[in-house]
Amino acid sequence: MFNDVFVQGMLASLIAGLVTGVGGFMIFLKKKYSQENINFMLNLAAGVMLAASFFALLVPAMSKISDFSPDIHIAAFWYCGAVFAGVGLVWLLNEILPHEHNNMGQHGMHFSLQKAWLFIIAITLHKLPEGLAVGVAYSAEDFMNPDSLVIGIALHNIPEGLTIAISLVAAHCSKIKAALTALLIGMVQPLGAIIGLLTMDYSDKIVPLGMAMAGGTLLFVVINEILPETYGVKQTNKSAFAVFAGFIFMTFLSMVLD
């Protein structure tokens, strides 16, 4: 019923989604996580995601789309249009669905359950395009290695799962309920992967355009959602170091895996 590419893509997105639960269960490792702890991990994740989006999606897509037309201006129009479509898709979702940004400080302080769930909705919004990117990447595995993207997204899911758990504990939920909720939220990623796997065929044009679009969605997640959260606490040196460290680590991993 399903080909090998579909099964591999689903398994990869499922594993990456389960890692969100790993982050959620990290709530048991410390009595309290400060905002500084969370920010450092999120900045590392942001650097990882930036490198993964460029080297696993945007650069390979650019190479393929450049062959669409002998006129490079037309090819560039197709490429930029696809990236912009990916950005616009997530931007539209952010505008339509209500959500809250993270400003809770640490999970020992009071945080309303309504506000916690609005924040969780924001993280859930990210899971769909991340899963979509995995599905598209596996559809294009004949000319790229999707492993680095999956690893990057999985690493990014750890601090996100932890922040989900922290927000719920701060809203007076039990730690086990908070961790299991993080695990459940991670299962949105395989749903996104299904969309990516089913909508991409093996034509020379659909897959590269889908990769460029998926890269655009990941860029929006990092630039609009993750980085503004962490740079707002005026620890820019630590934040910048973490972003660069994550980017360099993922760049090295991408080169080794390719």
Side-chain angles (χ1 to χ4, degrees):
M1 181 179 178
F2 299 116
N3 59 31
D4 289 342
V5 170
F6 187 94
V7 173
Q8 291 171 8
M10 280 300 302
L11 285 175
S13 63
L14 180 62
I15 292 171
L18 287 172
V19 175
T20 309
V22 173
F25 277 93
M26 285 176 62
I27 192 74
F28 291 98
L29 297 181
K30 289 182 67 173
K31 185 176 180 180
K32 290 184 180 181
Y33 283 89
S34 68
Q35 187 70 56
E36 184 178 353
N37 296 150
I38 298 299
N39 285 348
F40 188 81
M41 286 189 287
L42 284 173
N43 278 308
L44 278 173
V48 165
M49 288 283 283
L50 280 175
S53 62
F54 275 105
F55 300 127
L57 291 170
L58 294 172
V59 172
M62 182 184 292
S63 176
K64 284 291 179 179
I65 294 175
S66 294
D67 297 331
F68 277 16
S69 171
D71 187 342
I72 192 61
H73 299 89
I74 295 176
F77 175 82
W78 278 105
Y79 177 77
C80 293
V83 174
F84 181 77
V87 172
L89 175 64
V90 189
W91 200 328
L92 182 62
L93 287 175
N94 271 9
E95 291 296 320
I96 293 175
L97 297 178
H99 62 281
E100 178 69 53
H101 290 269
N102 175 22
N103 58 3
M104 61 193 157
Q106 58 188 34
H107 68 268
M109 62 186 292
H110 176 72
F111 196 56
S112 73
L113 188 60
Q114 180 183 12
K115 196 171 186 180
W117 275 107
L118 287 173
F119 171 60
I120 290 170
I121 288 173
I123 293 181
T124 306
L125 284 175
H126 305 164
K127 298 299 178 189
L128 199 63
E130 288 167 6
L132 175 68
V134 172
V136 171
Y138 270 87
S139 296
E141 67 174 355
D142 58 329
F143 62 85
M144 62 161 286
N145 187 344
D147 293 344
S148 60
L149 177 67
V150 175
I151 292 172
I153 289 177
L155 292 174
H156 160 74
N157 284 344
I158 294 174
E160 282 201 340
L162 180 57
T163 43
I164 289 173
I166 288 174
S167 67
L168 288 173
V169 170
H172 309 298
C173 290
S174 67
K175 286 188 176 183
I176 186 64
K177 182 178 179 180
L180 289 174
T181 300
L183 178 62
L184 183 63
I185 295 299
M187 293 302 96
V188 174
Q189 271 184 344
L191 296 179
I194 291 175
I195 297 173
L197 288 163
L198 292 180
T199 54
M200 295 294 106
D201 60 27
Y202 297 102
S203 73
D204 292 336
K205 292 188 176 182
I206 297 297
V207 172
L209 288 172
M211 290 171 63
M213 184 175 176
T217 65
L218 294 187
L219 285 180
F220 181 89
V221 168
V222 173
I223 295 170
N224 188 70
E225 297 293 333
I226 301 177
L227 292 180
E229 298 285 355
T230 56
Y231 272 73
V233 294
K234 297 181 180 179
Q235 294 177 327
T236 53
N237 288 337
K238 289 183 179 179
S239 296
F241 172 79
V243 173
F244 289 135
F247 187 90
I248 292 169
F249 168 76
M250 198 64 221
T251 300
F252 174 83
L253 198 60
S254 297
M255 292 181 68
V256 170
L257 290 176
D258 287 342

